[in-house]
Amino acid sequence: MVNWSLIFRLLHHLGSAGVLGAFAAIIIVVTYAPAPEISLVGYAAARTSIAMISKWILVPALLLVICSGLLSMAATPAYQNAGWAWFKALLGLAMFEGTLVIVDAAARKTAEFAAAAAQAGQYDPAALANLVARDQNGLWALIGVAFANVVVGVWRPRFARQIKD
């Protein structure tokens, strides 16, 4: 007999590793990317790399985390009545929406801006700083939500109503 709960948990952990790996890769690219004042072409390439990491690693891994987590809840009766599991599911859905709306969209927009600037040979520093700040703030917010999701999954707090006589 197939233990679906175990398979879904394994997929959930693999997807989580992909999300964390994507976050780490983005942080590394941001850290070592050349400044636009030094090399617009190198900066545009780094921003395109971030957009590709988001599109091909972060979003699919996060989709795997969400789907496998929900399927794990469906396959494990103990999770269905656990408040922490529902809270974790809501955090995961918020993280997925935030990734699509904030990180992925901002990464694509910043990459397009940097590529156009590299082609033109000049850029507006204020506009680039605004795009980069939004991109980085969104990334750090999602890393915080991911950390909270891990804490809830490990700690498993009891979210129950207190019934008083």
Side-chain angles (χ1 to χ4, degrees), residues 15 18-20 22-23 26 52-64 95-96 99 103-104 139 142:
V19 169
L20 293 176
F23 283 155
I26 290 171
M52 293 298 104
I53 291 167
S54 178
K55 179 179 180 177
W56 296 107
I57 299 172
L58 181 59
V59 172
L62 196 50
L63 188 59
L64 178 62
M95 192 169 157
F96 186 68
T99 298
V103 173
D104 191 53
L139 177 66
L142 287 175

Side-chain angles (χ1 to χ4, degrees), residues 29-44 46 123 128:
V29 170
V30 166
T31 301
Y32 292 104
E37 301 86 27
I38 296 172
S39 171
L40 269 174
V41 173
Y43 184 78
Y123 68 100
L128 182 61

Side-chain angles (χ1 to χ4, degrees), residues 61-82:
L62 196 50
L63 188 59
L64 178 62
V65 168
I66 297 294
C67 291
S68 61
L70 292 173
L71 288 170
S72 181
M73 283 179 68
T76 309
Y79 292 166
Q80 295 167 8
N81 295 323

